[in-house]
Structures are given as structure tokens and as C-alpha cells.
Amino acid sequence: MTVIAPAAARRRVALAAGACLLSFTAFWLAQRAADVSMIDLMVYRAEGETVRGGGDLYALRTTEAHLPTTYPPFAALLFTPLTLLTTADMRTLATLGNLLLLVGFAHLSLRLIQNDSTRGHLIRGERHARVEGALWASAAAVWCEPVWTTLRYGQINLLLGVLVLWDLSRRPGHRWAGVGIGVAAAIKLTPALFVAFLLLTGAAEAVRRGPWRPPVRHACVAAVSFAGATLLAAVVLPYDSRRFWTRMVFEAGRVGLAEDTANQSLRGVLARLLHTGEPGARWAVAAAVAGALGLAVAVVAALRGERAWAALACAVTALLVSPVSWSHHWVWCVPMVLLLGAEAVRRGGRARWAAAGGAYLAFCSYALWWVPHGVGRLELGQNYGQMVLSALYVVLGSGFLITAARRSRTLVTSAGPPPGPKIPRSRTPVRPSRTSRTV
């Protein structure tokens, strides 16, 4: 049955749409005033031209910064249509596309969060409320540093986020759930951690004799989608595919300097802390520990039915353990702040409101750029105060994982195991009496 939204709900959606359009327009003007280069978009176009011309994809050096190709070959196939556009048209369409993706990203985030924040409290006009929330969230999120930088460089982070959340916000067992994660991993390897998360969730469900088939099926569909996209690239680009999967995938240094301030991963933080360009085994140990703990938090949240907390714990873990996580990769701050805000609305408390507001302000502060950085490897000479600022997103991500872990432990302690079949319990027992005939 179709529910017609009240006029008040439609007016609120219209107001939110106007505010979002106004914010996007101001953002567009600010980006044009800053004369953004969209340098990564130019690299994508050069990759597409190399594919069309039959050149060596991983020998490519383009733009004034001489940037190389770093993504798997399947991504280069997707970039070939960019060669059909003029530079001006390409930049305009990329900006418009990313702004639309931001709205979609916020909408999918709210749909995923709804299972956590409004469980059992469905309201009339729910779809309109979610659209309204997505528009307001997008109007605010566009000014966060990761989102600003994504659009400034013409990056594809929002596309990858939408693909992953499209999967994770589906109902369990959905026929196409997994395709988005598989395709995202074929474009860029980091989302592949979601496959491991789904498999571990299925294994944990099997141990406790729960519904293990949906997450395992989800992971298998993702793996098959990844394999299909990768094989397609291997057929079209056999030399580049062989070279990437046997050599380039192991050369993290091609992406950039580990100590770069923009590198908001554990490896970047350790490189700046140890004043070295390559933290080596120390980073490997730290990444292994963080990966194990982060996935454990995600799996526990999934077992509790907290899908949003589980998905974001996995996303944050992937950003922490990746050799290079540029600041614009942290567009996952959008669902992170929305989830913290939903938790504050649902459970109340000044601490929760402070966490949500503080996280948003931190991502909008651009504080990681307040330290010495740039040409001359200035990051290797940072003092401890500067190191804290240049580790901002790692600190926020680690804090989010700690919050998720403490929340899961509190739920387990207070509520016990997940609800199961009710077992009839007798009332207060009656003491046997020798004179009672009913005993």
C-alpha cells in the first residue's frame, strides 16, 4: 500500500533540498575560486588514453607531478570513456557526479543506520524523512576535508563508498548483494577487506549455529564479481594485468611517500613518529594487530545485529591497515558522523552529542594541514604536537573502533545473548507442605 506523505513532510524535503542546493553552489564557487586542478581525474583520463592507444599502463607518468598508475587494470578500462570528453566538460561532469554520489552516500548511510537507531520505531513518511536527512547531511558533509579533497582531485572515493553501502544496506540474502563490493575491490583493492569480514561473520554464525548462509553467500558473490571483473581486464589487457598482479601490487612506494601528511594510515603515522620513510616490520606488526582487532569488533557488532556499526568498523579498519590511506579516502567520515549522531539521538547523553559534534568539527578543521609538509620531506622533522595533528584521522578512527568495542561489550553485558526462542519459565515455586493436597 502506498503511503502519501503529509504536506508538512513534503515541505521539509523541499526546504532541505533548497539548503543542499545552496550549500553545493557555495561549494562549487569556492572550488572554482581555489582554481582546483582535479589532478587525479587527469590521471584517470591519461590511463584511459593509454588503454585506447595500447600503451604500457604501468610505465605511465602524467601531469606536472609525474603521477603513475596505481589502480588495477580494470579501473583503467572504466576510465576510457573520459577520453571522449573535453577537459572542461569532464571536470564539470565529475563534480556534478560526485555531488550526486554524496547525496546517495548519505542516503544509503541513513538506510543502514536505521536498523540501529530507529529499530522498532517506524514512522509514517519514513522514506521522505530519510531523503530529508540525506539532503541536510550532504549540505553539511560537503565541507568536510575528505569530501572537499575528493572533489578537488576528482577522485572516485564516493563511488566506491556507494558501491559498498549499496551492498551492505540490502536485506540479508539479497540476490545481488556482493556485486558492489566485488566491483569496488576490482577498481581499488581496499574494499576487499569487506569480503574477509563477511566470511568471518558467517564462520562465527556457524559456530553458534546461527544464520551463516547469508553472509557467506554475500562474500561469495563479492568474490565472484571481483574475479569476473579482474578476468575481463586480463582478457583485454593481458600484459598490464600480469604486470600488476605479479609486481606492481607489492610496490606500495609507487603510490607516494609513506610519511606524507596526507597519508592517514598507521603506516603514515609510524613513518612520521619514527622519522623514517619506511617503518618496515613495525608497521606490519601494527597493521596485523589493528586488522585483527578491527575485524573482531566488526564481527561482534554484526552478530549483535548492529549492521551499521559492523560496516563502519570494517571500513575504518581497512583505512588504518592500508599502506597508504590519503585523507580523501576518509569519506567514510560521513556515515561515521551520522551514526554517532543517530546514537546520540536514540540514547541521549552529553558525551554522545559531544562525540558526534566533535568528530564532525575535526573532519572539517583541516587540522592535519596545519603542520609542516610538502617539498623537502618536512614531515620527517615534525615534533610531537605536530605529529598528533598529522595523525588526526587515525586518532578519530581508532576512537571510533574503541567506542564500537565498548558499546558491543555493554550490550552483551546488559542484554546477554541475542534473543532466541522463548522458553516457558515457571512462576515463583511453592514450597512443599505436608498439609497441602495440591503439592
Side-chain angles (χ1 to χ4, degrees), residues 105-263:
F105 194 42
H107 185 269
L108 291 172
S109 300
L110 290 174
R111 183 163 71 180
L112 184 63
I113 291 169
Q114 188 173 25
N115 291 330
D116 296 341
S117 60
T118 58
R119 185 178 301 162
H121 298 280
L122 299 180
I123 60 174
R124 188 180 180 186
E126 176 186 327
R127 180 177 301 177
H128 287 77
R130 194 161 58 217
V131 170
E132 178 191 357
L135 290 170
W136 282 114
S138 300
V142 74
W143 299 101
C144 292
E145 191 274 341
V147 177
W148 169 281
T149 311
T150 287
L151 275 83
R152 173 189 175 186
Y153 293 150
Q155 264 282 343
I156 58 172
N157 305 302
L158 290 169
L159 172 62
L160 299 178
V162 166
L163 287 172
V164 171
L165 284 190
W166 183 89
D167 265 2
L168 298 178
S169 62
R170 303 291 98 188
R171 59 175 173 79
H174 190 277
R175 178 182 304 177
W176 299 106
V179 173
I181 292 175
V183 172
I187 297 173
K188 191 172 183 177
L189 295 177
T190 309
L193 190 66
F194 284 95
V195 178
F197 154 67
L198 292 169
L199 288 174
L200 289 173
T201 302
E205 288 283 15
V207 168
R208 70 172 196 168
R209 298 186 179 182
W212 60 270
R213 287 184 177 85
V216 171
R217 184 184 184 279
H218 197 161
C220 290
V221 173
V224 169
S225 302
F226 169 79
T230 302
L231 288 175
L232 174 62
V235 170
V236 179
L237 302 169
Y239 173 75
D240 292 320
S241 296
R242 183 173 64 254
R243 192 176 180 195
F244 177 82
W245 293 109
T246 60
R247 179 182 172 187
M248 300 302 170
V249 70
F250 303 107
E251 297 183 1
R254 297 182 71 253
V255 181
L257 298 174
E259 75 275 8
D260 196 315
T261 298
N263 185 12

Side-chain angles (χ1 to χ4, degrees), residues 27-57:
F27 175 87
W28 190 304
L29 294 174
Q31 289 252 311
R32 292 299 171 269
D35 192 24
V36 295
S37 62
M38 304 189 78
I39 190 171
D40 287 342
L41 183 63
M42 304 307 296
V43 174
Y44 299 157
R45 185 182 188 185
E47 292 179 20
E49 291 174 342
T50 302
V51 170
R52 291 188 62 182
D56 188 340
L57 189 60

Side-chain angles (χ1 to χ4, degrees), residues 23-24 26-28 30-31 36 98-99 102 105-106 134-153 155 157-158 264 326-340 355-370 392-393 396:
S23 180
F24 282 3
F27 175 87
W28 190 304
Q31 289 252 311
V36 295
N98 266 327
L99 291 174
L102 175 59
F105 194 42
L135 290 170
W136 282 114
S138 300
V142 74
W143 299 101
C144 292
E145 191 274 341
V147 177
W148 169 281
T149 311
T150 287
L151 275 83
R152 173 189 175 186
Y153 293 150
Q155 264 282 343
N157 305 302
L158 290 169
Q264 293 294 300
W326 300 129
S327 66
H328 52 76
H329 294 167
W330 283 81
V331 292
W332 287 95
C333 68
V334 177
M336 186 191 304
V337 172
L338 287 175
L339 179 56
L340 293 173
Y360 174 72
L361 292 176
F363 281 112
C364 290
S365 68
Y366 297 72
L368 71 161
W369 299 111
W370 300 353
L392 180 62
Y393 295 174
L396 291 172

Side-chain angles (χ1 to χ4, degrees), residues 394-412:
V394 174
V395 171
L396 291 172
S398 301
F400 179 84
L401 289 179
I402 293 172
T403 301
R406 293 183 60 184
R407 184 178 185 280
S408 296
R409 186 180 64 179
T410 302
L411 288 174
V412 170

